Amino acid sequence: MKYLQDLFQKHLGDDVILFTVDPIGFKSDINCGTLPSLFTTIDFGPETDAEDALKTLRKYQPNGPMVNTEFYVGWIDNWGLPFQRKNSTAISQALDKLLSMNASVNIYMFEGGSNFGFNNGATWALLYLPVLTSYDYDAPLSEAGDPTEKYFAIRNVIFKYLPQPPGPVPPALPKYEYGKVYLKKVIISKSKRLKLMSLWDVLKILPSSKPILSQYPVAAESFGQSHGFTVYRTELKLKSGSSILHIPGVRDRATIFLNQAILGVIDRNGVGSIGIDYQENDTLDILVENQGHINFMLLNDPKGIIQNVTLHGVILTNWTIFPLSLDPDDVAMILNISNVLGTPSDPSEPASFYVGSIPAMPDGKPPLDTFLYLKNWSKGQAFVNRFNVGRYWPARGPQQTLYVPANSLNGNPDFNNTILLFEIDAAPCFISAYCYVEFIKNPMLGITEN
């Protein structure tokens, strides 16, 4: 801690206030998390008794302002768990108590947001828990920036202690229901023959997917890939048989293919093994999704496959590794070569791309915010034009919609706004009537937990 203080003061000078913040629930945190020469602050939510918390703070910061640096008005949400909400009344009462004791408060989060692209992180609580694409956080201002009941409740408390500023509260931004958009499997035209475009085709054409040869699997960061997907491929040199494929180092979720046919899914919280029947010289492909780096406590979190893979106890070697970043240039190339759209394909064919056209606003009006509802889709990544809207996983929940800001859409009536899905597991496209997404006015963040 002293080293960090000296380092910051060396670069920033002595006239900058350096402060620390620690949760109040664990005494060891604040004991080890500050120095007498630093300004000490704490963080806690409405569940903590403010009087006890500030009394503890005064032991470490006897003079000066008492600061709650992160007053939690919501909480982080993870895939597979209920969406968490904190009661507005409890928030208001706790804030009132803090302000009545002349404490200073920084609200976290005051406005929700979105983990667009691959920018969600993950938490660690003995299990790896990736964070939702939505970072709405049940904040006073929603993911779309709209005032909520909680906003007005907090506002009323603050006005007990500070004068009300002039002017009205800005209203919620209008949203638009673009409706259903039917999708089709992307097809490429090769020598006047039509061919369904799968993951395997994409790996051959994207500049970012140039293959890397390695004797053993290596982490994605070792070849400069910090996000997205990675495909690990090897040819089986064992005699034909049935045995256990063991992948202990999956970071974070692996879809297993043999000769491009899916065998199953492994994730880092599971056993890391799957039984397979194989023939000598079969091609094994492992599509690994980086679901977000852990951003608290366990910070060393390399992605891809970070340990050896074994089949029948034998280490598999001679890997070809394909980065699949799906950056904007990659998405543009996929859209550009998909000059023909096919009919929906068998839903059992995973790791495929689907595209559709988003209707324009009526009467040439500029685009408005909307929410992408992915009913019956399983898991994947959504793109509007070249913009990476984020991960979807309605099969796991709780989040069912993705926030699509107006500036991701082109307002030119002659422009074809497109949606592209990279569906990893299974599309609902066994018949055309089910192969659609829907753009709606309101978010659906799933089952809630108070």
Side-chain angles (χ1 to χ4, degrees), residues 274-351:
I274 187 172
I276 68 169
D277 300 322
Y278 60 92
Q279 302 292 319
E280 187 175 0
N281 299 321
D282 278 353
T283 298
L284 174 69
D285 283 290
I286 306 172
L287 169 66
V288 180
E289 180 186 6
N290 168 355
Q291 292 186 290
H293 285 87
I294 296 170
N295 52 28
F296 182 71
M297 294 179 67
L298 185 67
L299 298 182
N300 183 23
D301 188 27
K303 299 301 185 179
I305 298 178
I306 63 171
Q307 293 176 249
N308 284 330
V309 178
T310 63
L311 177 61
H312 198 60
V314 177
I315 295 175
L316 301 182
T317 58
N318 299 320
W319 293 86
T320 303
I321 304 170
F322 301 88
L324 184 62
S325 298
L326 293 181
D327 291 328
D329 289 344
D330 292 344
V331 175
M333 179 170 284
I334 294 170
L335 292 173
N336 287 340
I337 67 168
S338 60
N339 53 5
V340 181
L341 299 180
T343 57
S345 62
D346 190 321
S348 65
E349 184 177 12

Side-chain angles (χ1 to χ4, degrees), residues 152-450:
F152 290 102
I154 288 174
R155 185 172 180 265
N156 291 336
V157 171
I158 292 172
F159 290 162
K160 290 174 63 176
Y161 302 90
L162 293 170
Q164 181 173 338
V169 175
L173 291 173
K175 311 298 186 295
Y176 187 70
E177 188 174 305
Y178 293 86
K180 288 184 179 179
V181 173
Y182 286 88
L183 306 185
K184 293 184 178 181
K185 181 87 175 283
V186 174
I187 284 185
I188 55 176
S189 179
K190 301 180 73 173
S191 302
K192 297 182 180 180
R193 296 179 61 189
L194 299 182
K195 182 180 184 298
L196 292 173
M197 187 167 74
S198 66
L199 168 65
W200 323 113
D201 299 301
V202 166
L203 295 179
K204 298 173 186 176
I205 62 173
L206 295 185
S208 65
S209 294
K210 292 179 180 177
I212 298 156
L213 302 180
S214 178
Q215 183 76 357
Y216 303 101
V218 293
E221 288 83 357
S222 66
F223 46 84
Q225 187 182 5
S226 61
H227 61 266
F229 303 84
T230 310
V231 175
Y232 294 80
R233 176 179 293 167
T234 190
E235 194 172 276
L236 302 181
K237 297 303 181 184
L238 285 74
K239 291 183 179 180
S240 303
S242 300
S243 194
I244 300 298
L245 177 69
H246 190 44
I247 316 174
V250 169
R251 300 291 185 274
D252 300 303
R253 186 179 190 266
T255 307
I256 318 300
F257 299 86
L258 196 63
N259 300 325
Q260 300 182 6
I262 187 170
L263 297 181
V265 173
I266 290 174
D267 72 51
R268 66 187 288 173
N269 291 330
V271 295
S273 300
I274 187 172
I276 68 169
D277 300 322
Y278 60 92
Q279 302 292 319
E280 187 175 0
N281 299 321
D282 278 353
T283 298
L284 174 69
D285 283 290
I286 306 172
L287 169 66
V288 180
E289 180 186 6
N290 168 355
Q291 292 186 290
H293 285 87
I294 296 170
N295 52 28
F296 182 71
M297 294 179 67
L298 185 67
L299 298 182
N300 183 23
D301 188 27
K303 299 301 185 179
I305 298 178
I306 63 171
Q307 293 176 249
N308 284 330
V309 178
T310 63
L311 177 61
H312 198 60
V314 177
I315 295 175
L316 301 182
T317 58
N318 299 320
W319 293 86
T320 303
I321 304 170
F322 301 88
L324 184 62
S325 298
L326 293 181
D327 291 328
D329 289 344
D330 292 344
V331 175
M333 179 170 284
I334 294 170
L335 292 173
N336 287 340
I337 67 168
S338 60
N339 53 5
V340 181
L341 299 180
T343 57
S345 62
D346 190 321
S348 65
E349 184 177 12
S352 295
F353 294 85
Y354 294 81
V355 69
S357 294
I358 304 169
M361 289 284 293
D363 303 321
K365 293 179 182 177
L368 296 175
D369 289 356
T370 189
F371 294 91
L372 173 61
Y373 180 31
L374 293 131
K375 182 180 180 180
N376 297 325
W377 294 82
S378 299
K379 188 183 197 312
Q381 205 75 23
F383 305 84
V384 170
N385 298 322
R386 294 173 58 181
F387 178 64
N388 191 335
V389 177
R391 308 175 199 270
Y392 64 88
W393 202 358
R396 175 66 63 90
Q399 184 176 358
Q400 301 296 309
T401 57
L402 296 177
Y403 172 56
V404 181
N407 61 5
S408 65
L409 297 163
N410 190 317
N412 185 337
D414 296 324
F415 185 86
N416 180 32
N417 286 293
T418 57
I419 176 167
L420 176 72
L421 299 185
F422 176 45
E423 171 59 51
I424 303 170
D425 289 356
C429 295
F430 42 93
I431 59 174
S432 299
Y434 296 154
C435 195
Y436 68 87
V437 296
E438 197 168 357
F439 290 91
I440 61 178
K441 286 185 177 181
N442 298 304
M444 297 171 59
L445 296 178
I447 299 171
T448 63
E449 182 176 273
N450 292 316

Side-chain angles (χ1 to χ4, degrees), residues 43-60:
D43 62 47
F44 58 90
E47 303 84 2
T48 300
D49 183 85
E51 190 169 348
D52 288 345
L54 296 179
K55 191 179 295 182
T56 300
L57 174 60
R58 274 298 183 222
K59 295 177 183 178
Y60 298 87

Side-chain angles (χ1 to χ4, degrees), residues 6-153:
D6 293 342
L7 183 66
F8 276 105
Q9 287 179 333
K10 175 184 175 181
H11 290 281
L12 301 177
D14 294 329
D15 59 346
V16 174
I17 296 176
L18 300 180
F19 71 94
T20 61
V21 55
D22 287 288
I24 199 64
F26 300 96
K27 206 170 186 180
S28 59
D29 289 337
I30 196 166
N31 276 336
C32 302
T34 192
L35 294 171
S37 53
L38 297 172
F39 182 65
T40 303
T41 74
I42 54 177
D43 62 47
F44 58 90
E47 303 84 2
T48 300
D49 183 85
E51 190 169 348
D52 288 345
L54 296 179
K55 191 179 295 182
T56 300
L57 174 60
R58 274 298 183 222
K59 295 177 183 178
Y60 298 87
Q61 186 64 49
N63 301 304
M66 299 180 292
V67 180
N68 183 343
T69 309
E70 295 183 12
F71 178 57
Y72 298 113
V73 296
W75 198 244
I76 300 166
D77 291 290
N78 305 91
W79 292 108
L81 298 175
F83 184 82
Q84 301 186 73
R85 296 191 183 276
K86 292 199 175 185
N87 182 272
S88 295
T89 301
I91 296 288
S92 301
Q93 290 173 348
L95 178 61
D96 196 4
K97 181 72 175 290
L98 277 166
L99 297 181
S100 71
M101 298 176 69
N102 200 30
S104 297
V105 179
N106 180 60
I107 292 175
Y108 187 93
M109 299 279 293
F110 189 77
E111 180 175 357
S114 301
N115 296 310
F116 293 126
F118 300 107
N119 290 321
N120 69 292
T123 57
W124 177 260
L126 301 181
L127 291 175
Y128 171 82
L129 298 171
V131 173
L132 302 185
T133 299
S134 172
Y135 206 75
D136 180 271
Y137 205 82
D138 193 30
L141 297 180
S142 73
E143 179 177 13
D146 300 332
T148 67
E149 174 197 356
K150 187 175 292 182
Y151 168 83
F152 290 102

